[in-house]
Amino acid sequence: MSDIAVKICGLTAPDHVRAAAEAGARYVGFVFFPKSPRHLELDKAAELAQLVPAGVAKVALTVNASDEDLDRIVAEVPLDMLQLHGKETPERVSEVRGKFGLPVMKAIGVAEEEDLSAIDLYSEVADQLLIDAKPPRTSELPGGNGLAFDWRLLAGRKYWQKPWMLAGGLTPENVAEAIRMTGARQVDVSSGVESAPGIKDPMKISEFIQAAC
């Protein structure tokens, strides 16, 4: 297997977790955002997290979460990383990183070149960055919309200060091309390996990881 690291996000069932781990995912993501079809209650997330084998990082995706929300998540679910996928400021990212004792990945929405300036800004405070497609203005979901952005915007820009992950509209059919165009060494997928919103397809998970790696 190559050195491409894959994150399967939005897992909601035990077979999703097993499929991701068996296929070679390096990260699995659990969503804590009630508007998402992939949202998990804390007890369900804790059960799923117990199924994740050692060596696979467990990531909690949150959106503009309060300290109280994060306290509950961290207390009840064994995690390795917090993913902030809302409109958190650099100051908030730094605050969360200091308060909760976990590495923080900050998602940054990209639609045009001017959006890239945020990458340098957040790289000063986050442990990792997730470069995602900016959601439509009408969408209630900050991610998981199955949309890609123009990957040419990232060409030749693979040497940021912090590790970064490519997301947004990736599928088993296009992930290899996305990696080639952007130089990404880490990729994230959610809707691209689903048979319906929130329902992962084990075969698509396997195909995605094979194509990426």
Side-chain angles (χ1 to χ4, degrees):
M1 184 174 287
S2 77
D3 61 349
I4 301 295
V6 175
K7 175 170 171 275
I8 307 295
C9 196
L11 303 178
T12 60
D15 62 326
H16 303 169
V17 175
R18 295 188 188 100
E22 290 171 3
R26 309 267 191 92
Y27 304 79
V28 293
F30 303 120
V31 175
F32 301 94
F33 184 55
K35 292 181 180 180
S36 170
R38 306 165 188 97
H39 171 69
L40 293 174
E41 298 299 333
L42 292 179
D43 57 347
K44 180 66 175 294
E47 291 176 10
L48 295 180
Q50 296 293 343
L51 302 175
V52 180
V56 179
K58 301 177 291 294
V59 183
L61 186 158
T62 67
V63 180
N64 303 320
S66 66
D67 283 355
E68 291 75 16
D69 290 335
L70 293 172
D71 272 329
R72 286 191 290 269
I73 292 169
V74 171
E76 297 192 35
V77 185
L79 295 167
D80 301 296
M81 181 176 289
L82 295 173
Q83 178 178 328
L84 306 184
H85 214 107
K87 296 181 179 179
E88 299 89 357
T89 64
E91 292 76 19
R92 177 59 175 161
V93 173
S94 183
E95 182 180 48
V96 169
R97 190 168 177 262
K99 281 186 176 181
F100 295 95
L102 288 170
V104 172
M105 177 186 295
K106 178 68 180 85
I108 298 169
V110 171
E112 52 194 6
E113 189 164 2
E114 66 183 25
D115 296 322
L116 299 178
S117 61
I119 296 174
D120 287 325
L121 186 64
Y122 282 99
S123 69
E124 297 178 4
V125 292
D127 296 280
Q128 293 208 41
L129 305 169
L130 186 139
I131 314 303
D132 198 0
K134 183 177 285 188
R137 292 181 181 178
T138 56
S139 175
E140 292 187 310
L141 302 179
N145 293 294
L147 299 175
F149 62 94
D150 186 350
W151 298 322
R152 291 173 296 182
L153 291 171
L154 301 186
R157 300 175 183 266
K158 56 186 175 182
Y159 301 111
W160 282 302
Q161 296 178 39
K162 296 291 174 65
W164 62 279
M165 188 175 289
L166 180 67
L170 298 178
T171 67
E173 293 73 30
N174 68 17
V175 65
E177 178 67 4
I179 290 169
R180 186 191 68 78
M181 290 183 65
T182 64
R185 309 311 296 166
Q186 302 191 112
V187 291
D188 173 287
V189 65
S190 184
S191 61
V193 291
E194 290 181 340
S195 56
I199 308 299
K200 293 292 186 286
D201 183 322
M203 182 63 70
K204 288 184 178 181
I205 289 174
S206 178
E207 291 172 351
F208 184 91
I209 293 178
Q210 288 179 18
C213 298

